[in-house]
Amino acid sequence: MSNDNNSAFEPRIIAFVCNWCTYAGADLTGTSRIKYATNVRIVRFPCTGRIDFLLLLKAFASGADGIIVSGCHPNDCHYTSGNFHARRRWMVFRSLLDTLGIDTRRIRYSWVSAAEGAKWADLVNDTVATIRELGPYNEYKKVADYLGKEAGDE
Amino acid sequence: MSKIGVFICHCGENIGATVDCAKVAEAAASMEGVAFATDYKYMCSDPGQTLIKNAIREHRLDGVVVGACSPRMHEPTFRKACAEAGLNPYLCEIANLREHCSWVHPKGDDTTEKAIEIVHGLVEKVRRNSPLTPIHVPITKKALVIGGGIAGIQAALDIANCGHKVILVEKEPSIGGHMSQLSETFPTLDCSQCILTPRMVEVAQHPNITLYTYAELDSLSGFIGNFEAKIRLKAKSIDESLCTGCGLCTTKCPQKKIPSEFNAGLGRRTAIYVPFPQAVPNKPVIDKEHCTHYRTGKCGVCEKVCPTHAIRFGQEDRIINEQVGAVVVTTGFNVLGTDFFPEYGYGRYADVITGLQFERLASASGPTLGEIRRPSDGKVPEKVVFIACCGSRDPAKGIPYCSKICCMYTAKHAMLYQHKVHGGESYVFYMDIRAGGKNYEEFVRRAIEEDHVNYVRGRVARIYEKEGKLIVKGVDTLLGATPVEIEADMVVLATAGVSNQGSEELAQKLHISYDPYKFFAEAHPKLRPVETNTAGIFVAGACQAPKDIPETVATASGAAAKVAALFSQPDLVREPLVAVVNRSAPPVFSTCVGCFMCQTACPYQAIEREEIKDRSGKVIKVVAKVNPGLCQGCGTCVAFCRSKSIDLQGFSNQQMFAEVEALLETTN
Amino acid sequence: MENLHITNGQLAQWLDDMRRDGLRIFAPVAQGGKTDFKFLAEGDTVAEDYVQTAQSAKRIVLPMAEVLFSYRKHGKDIEVANPGTDRFNDTIIWKARPCDARAMRQVAEVFTRDYDDAIFEARRSHTTIVAFSCNTCDDCCFCTSVGGSPGGTEGSDILVTTLTDGGGALVEVLTPKGEGLAAKYLAGAARADGIDKQAHLADVRVLFSADEVRAKLDGAFDSPVWQEQSERCLGCGACAFVCPVCTCFDIQEDAHGARGRRIRCWDSCGFSMFTQHTSGHNPRPTQAARWRQRILHKFSYIPEKLGEAGCTGCGRCSRACPVDMNISEHLKAIAGHE
Amino acid sequence: MSNKNIYLPYLMRIEKITDEAPGVKTFRLAFEDKAEGEAFNFRAGQFAEYSAFGEGECTFCIASPPTRRGYVECTFRRAGRVTTGLAKLEEGDTMGFRGPFGNSFPIEQWQGKNLLFVAGGIALPPMRCVIENALDMREKFKDITIIYGAKSVGDLVYKEKLKEWEARPDVNMVTTVDPGGETPDWKGKVGFTPTVLEQVAPSSDNTVAVVCGPPVMIKFSFPVLEKLGFKDTDIYTTLENRMKCGLGKCGRCNVGKMYVCKDGPVFTKAQLNGLPPEY
Amino acid sequence: MNNLTELANKLLGDGTATKVIGYEEAHGKTRPCFCTEAADTGRLVLDERCTNNIAVYLTKPEIVGGHKVAVTATLPVLRTMVQLAMENQLPDGTTAIVSTESGEGLAVLPTVGDMERVVAGTPLDISGKERELRERLKAMSREERWQFWLGEMSRCIKCYACRAACPLCYCTRCIVDNNCPQWIQPWASPLASMEWQISRVMHMAGRCVACGACKQACPMGIPIHLLTLSLAEDIQNEFGVAPGSVMDHGNVLSTFKPGDKEDFIR
């Protein structure tokens, strides 16, 4: 589903990242002065293991067009296994979202280490480009505003 | 929280040149709950911090957001400033306007808008912050060291020398470990026992060290600073207080044909025995499995001959409890036996031996008193083949890793052979020579160049016996895979270093993790190499992976330093960013339903069971409870808990939920 | 008010005409193995073969969720927006059952007593109920035990009784609203003469006497019957949500940052959280207490106020219950309880 | 048919916030629309629905007496989502107010009688309204006795009011804290409220008693009053069932044939005797 | 007196149980029933018509408090009991009565170990209509699936019968009753209903025994069991954990393998 008005569309992207790897990696992007799209807002979590799947849904319901979830590479987790737990959670979650027809292309999972400043910039730019191509997540937004639209009618 | 102060830092030009800081402050001022907002050139400077402190006092702020550099940089600075102004430091949050905004975006409205949104997200988060206080955990300043090899000896001595009590537990009758079995050590060729024995004696005599030999850990409970160890003292069948170590019993014992563990099976010992002459403690134990008295009820010679009547046949295992604050695990490693290698005869050929057995042959205290004689007939071998990487680096054998020490000890063995058997011929089959280490490469070169050891790069495919000779068939890959056949008198296999027997069981007792090869896992391979994921439990030496002596000793001292650092505090102070299981008034008590799935998700064993009882003491329900001494605050349990009964302080559900919604609010 | 006799063709035409005119029609449609009311859309077929819809038509006047008002925060100030009552459109409930139509009166009583609920009133005034008498019934039906009838006219604007002999339908125009509709769509219809409506109605057996139940309930608060009956009850809200009479609701906040709305949504006295205080104290802590409340409310408290049971015998709760909490069975037991 | 949206709250400006005890605050609220304020009337014992916009509505009594016009006061303890939201508000902020709802204390019928007020903990607010109402027309009543207890000294609310009442010669004011809850300089009594009530033993002759407090306090106070000779029709209390609408519609506070929000919250013990114990 | 009654009486008589949770016949169907004395047990039935998952009562203190319970267990019920035991929710001393494989006789399973053995020998098989529905869903495009579920969710009335009927939904406080924060809007709307189902299904990951109680309970006939079934099947394919089988340690989501797939992580 592409959007006719892509040039005017600025995707809203929210990134759920762990403190120790990806947040630090994004810090390194800054320290290295690598530029990337302004569309992303970062939420800092101690660990990807802490990220609740409902928060991702809340992001969509609140108007996000795309989501990034990123943490430490396998075996690099500050807490040893939080990212492994997260990985399982996302495997299961993705499969469920797909069953429901929720657009899993809009959630980008990645591992970005504290040393991968450039990878973070690429990840953001790439995600922005992907979401720009997909267009605003109107399907979801429309449902989110059900009370305003449909229920008033009933 | 509804009197939030927002402080936007220009960071000189770093933020100020890209983001319109005044506009951000102005926008922040109109956010719900914000009572004060301003911008300033350098918030982290003294005047900047003073500005924050004054604003906290003047406006009675109950929350602070500093828009500045990464929280990984100055979060502690600003939290401290808040604390100094009387605001709980955990009511301060940092909006990352530099690394995540001004440094990565061009100057413009979008960037300023993003800065405003970042601030908004954190304002909404901080409105839901709670004041937190650091967690204090008392510490029992006594350490438990498990394993009395060189690692355990070193760790015990280092900790004891810092003035702390140490309990050293060794499962064999004597401490000393593998190092006591070695002949000379690379790359200096100094006598292993000569450097080790003084340390063993020091352990025995140290006033801060309690030594339990012939003992094993039964169980460990508790948490950092507060462990309770149950130690099983196996029955030695002697009264140690009476035994003088005269040795009469061992000479009279009629059971003399028991393979000696110390001599790697190449020598014999008696049923009542001291493993080796320099043993510490130098007192015998009775090996119940082989003792005639224990097996048949007859004999009792030792009891008769003992001048001090120290023999106690009826003795039973004893379990003692020890309270300790830290544990160092130094249980070492083992080497594969020759029977693991079908291609080399499954251990059927007496003259195909392991490197460890060769050490005993080369040792002056060994069964041959240091002469190299082959086990089968005691002849001095004229041609010896050493095969490196036996098992190691062989995924087919399930051991993909490098055992690290074999290259060096094989060179040493060949060198020792050449020194002891003049005119002897030695061959080393190898895959690569790994001689990284101080003076290591030089050592190997000396073996090749000065002692004329023949290094052949290639694998040995097969060994078979033919007319009293061991035919070694291999290839030389440096000569274009030319087949090589050597008629050897003895073959020494550098078998892979593997984890010690029972290491998996021990890891489970300790709740520490281990790798697929059952070596214990460190908390972080680089930055926390001697810590485990269980706070207060440290590892050192070859129980982590095969290590040589210098590395073993270094990690042991490292672990000891960690213990000493832990013990140097009056109590353990921890960041309160830990998970908490909710509690409420009766009749609910907690919304936790007690499925304890969180326990299986926690990497730190931080989740305990708590019984909630009524006034009569009847258990009403069992709910989870997080031990704040163990919790590291990863929050995996929080995301897992179905009923949202666990929350993470500092990153609570309400905080994260509000931050996510706020970051997206302007789109609505 | 008059009675008309229309042919089957006229009946079909009537619906077609209304659909063609773009009226909002809320009618039973088969969906997902159940028949339930929905707003007719292009392609929808009004269900024929069913005894009872899964839900009643209650949500036309009391939606599952509706905005009571919205607001926006500006710093320390709040701006409140009253959505008003002029936003509603006319709706025709087509093929309501007489038990549903009758229930509407009780629902209306709740929202108009003491304080007039303008939102509800507006919704109701825009609603026209065209009910259809029941030609068939099932074991869950018991309207006749609670003072209703498969051909009852109470609450309907028009009542259609299809004639089981295939001879068209009897149309009873009952209210001015009904007259308006009939004038427009049934202008040429014949007057009904001598139709024995009763002969075309389902035979709904009388299972118990509501008065007897009420009399028994007076001293039954501490009876063991509640515990016995409710033991298998799972405490879900299905019975209340499908009930045409149940009106219990919750008021909730739909807040997103500076904007928010206050929402009214359905609730059920069967939920354990319904009465639970923040402290954890719960005046009705057990399912037995909640089941008792449901029965007492409908068959003792409401009769006290309205003179009739808060139940029209539609039987939906019995059909919806996952564990066969059959209400008529329980009421029969209560009526016969000593 | 009235076109008024009965769910729409009055907008109120928070004029003053008083910290009463840990987690307990009193708000003084003024009507945003002065005309609404002037038209606003209520009676002692009535309650209202208070909104924290963004969080929802919560029910508590109007704590100030109807005799003091131009503002209303409420006192609440931070517990759930809404009260937490309210507690975060500051002076000058706006909140919502819907009311007054429910019945009231029949204070006119009490004229010429002795009044006994027994309150515990956070239940003094509903009582304060009627106490001040009575004090504002002091000459119409005979003896006034107030017995107020809390878990600890810190938990006593309305500390200023307590001093004020204590200072009045025409009020017999008794304050008490539970054993263990006293401070070294505590001058009041130590003991559970029902016990102190028994010690004080006010005469039941020509007296009405008003009892408000946690369920356990009420449970133990009723028998004491009975022993002192109070008739069930002379003992008043207020029920605090969970409510949402305040209008007798949402069904939550239905107890027996009553809706607490409409037929209550004030009940005599005699009335309670006829209600199922679902409160 | 039939065998089941006899057996129930024996268990009640010898103190093995003080309450038997079982099925009785009513209105041409079966429904749960409870027997505490021999006089009650005559109505017990246990056959293929017994489709309620009566393990749901095992986590209700009102039902099991102070009782030793025996459950006449169909296979899904037995699977549930094993899962409950693993989650510390099966009351001590709970006994299961099952039909033997031949369907003729009855067997008593006094311990969880016994129950596990029976369950392990009878793997779950998703077939027939469910399989068909699942395949139909799979064959749809993503947009079609979204429209399908949106339509279904629009019919949800949020009565939570799915939650109430599910024996593994036993939380003291369900996430939907948690308003700090308000994770899921408490009213019925397509999004709130979908979020509720996503939560429910995620919470069932690796736990669901695919008994279909949720679907059976739904008064609106929404095929919500397709969600749990789909997930169960995906989990089986991905982790080798079959629905109704019990992991010896933890749960699919509370454990991991270092080698778990990560082809979706870039």
Side-chain angles (χ1 to χ4, degrees), chain B residues 457-471:
Chain B
R457 187 170 192 277
R459 305 283 304 181
V460 172
R462 204 157 88 85
I463 299 171
Y464 57 94
E465 226 169 14
K466 194 178 164 191
E467 295 159 7
K469 292 282 186 191
L470 290 162
I471 311 300

Side-chain angles (χ1 to χ4, degrees), chain B residues 289-326:
Chain B
E289 200 187 318
H290 293 102
C291 167
T292 316
H293 179 85
Y294 277 105
R295 293 172 64 194
T296 66
K298 292 175 188 135
C299 191
V301 170
C302 49
E303 194 177 25
K304 283 177 205 119
V305 300
C306 180
T308 58
H309 308 292
I311 304 294
R312 293 288 179 275
F313 282 123
Q315 208 175 56
E316 283 184 2
D317 289 4
R318 215 150 50 85
I319 304 241
I320 55 164
N321 286 348
E322 289 281 1
Q323 310 294 323
V324 295

Side-chain angles (χ1 to χ4, degrees), chain E:
Chain E
M1 200 167 13
N2 65 31
N3 291 343
L4 185 58
T5 301
E6 228 166 83
L7 184 57
N9 285 349
K10 179 177 163 286
L11 297 182
L12 289 172
D14 67 15
T16 308
T18 59
K19 188 183 244 180
V20 177
I21 305 181
Y23 299 90
E24 66 182 346
E25 206 172 321
H27 305 111
K29 301 176 290 186
T30 66
R31 68 185 183 194
C33 76
F34 308 86
C35 309
T36 50
E37 48 198 292
D40 297 335
T41 56
R43 57 200 169 123
L44 286 172
V45 294
L46 181 61
D47 54 37
E48 67 289 344
R49 292 173 306 156
C50 302
T51 51
N52 285 111
N53 191 332
I54 53 175
V56 69
Y57 298 107
L58 290 172
T59 52
K60 292 188 189 299
E62 284 172 65
I63 304 290
V64 296
H67 279 286
K68 273 183 83 182
V69 178
V71 182
T72 69
T74 60
L75 195 55
V77 171
L78 199 65
R79 287 197 181 102
T80 311
M81 289 172 76
V82 170
Q83 183 67 32
L84 284 174
M86 206 236 136
E87 298 176 11
N88 300 290
Q89 307 297 322
L90 190 70
D92 288 344
T94 302
T95 308
I97 303 171
V98 295
S99 296
T100 49
E101 220 158 305
S102 60
E104 302 292 303
L106 293 164
V108 175
L109 307 177
T111 71
V112 176
D114 298 327
M115 299 177 205
E116 273 174 8
R117 268 190 294 285
V118 174
V119 167
T122 336
L124 185 83
D125 176 33
I126 304 167
S127 57
K129 206 166 152 231
E130 261 66 49
R131 164 72 49 214
E132 210 174 286
L133 276 167
R134 165 104 164 104
E135 293 307 324
R136 217 181 72 205
L137 200 63
K138 265 189 181 161
M140 292 182 193
S141 72
R142 182 193 68 75
E143 283 83 358
E144 284 168 344
R145 278 200 297 275
W146 171 255
Q147 288 308 329
F148 170 79
W149 284 113
L150 207 54
E152 292 294 337
M153 295 304 166
S154 308
R155 299 198 292 121
C156 170
I157 56 173
K158 275 273 190 95
C159 66
Y160 296 122
C162 45
R163 171 181 76 177
C166 176
L168 292 169
C169 263
Y170 51 71
C171 286
T172 319
R173 177 195 61 184
C174 177
I175 180 163
V176 296
D177 295 324
N178 182 352
N179 65 4
C180 296
Q182 187 82 53
W183 287 103
I184 295 168
Q185 293 169 337
W187 51 85
S189 76
L191 184 70
S193 304
M194 193 174 285
E195 286 179 341
W196 154 239
Q197 288 301 336
I198 293 175
S199 297
R200 191 181 76 81
V201 175
M202 281 297 283
H203 290 175
M204 283 296 141
R207 304 170 61 232
C208 176
V209 300
C211 68
C214 49
K215 149 85 188 319
Q216 199 187 336
C218 180
M220 305 310 296
I222 304 172
I224 42 178
H225 67 310
L226 274 189
L227 295 171
T228 39
L229 269 185
S230 296
L231 197 71
E233 202 164 37
D234 290 344
I235 284 173
Q236 178 162 14
N237 294 339
E238 206 62 71
F239 308 112
V241 180
S245 74
V246 166
M247 296 174 69
D248 50 358
H249 178 77
N251 161 277
V252 166
L253 284 191
S254 77
T255 55
F256 65 88
K257 288 208 174 79
D260 283 342
K261 145 183 134 171
E262 55 172 16
D263 54 4
F264 63 95
I265 303 176
R266 288 173 291 141

Side-chain angles (χ1 to χ4, degrees), chain A residues 58 61-62 144-154, chain C residues 24 39 59-60 63 65-67 87-88 123 254 261 263:
Chain A
K58 285 295 139 188
S62 304
D145 202 24
Y146 168 80
L147 275 180
K149 301 251 162 59
E150 279 140 283
D153 278 357
E154 259 190 27
Chain C
R24 280 160 51 91
F39 285 107
R59 64 193 165 105
I60 289 301
E66 68 181 320
V67 178
R87 61 195 154 123
F88 304 114
R123 286 187 189 277
D254 179 27
R261 293 183 281 215
I263 308 292

Side-chain angles (χ1 to χ4, degrees), chain B residues 14 89 228 303 306 387 406 447 555 575 658:
Chain B
N14 280 309
E228 181 175 323
E303 194 177 25
C306 180
I387 306 175
C406 325
T555 52
E575 280 255 35

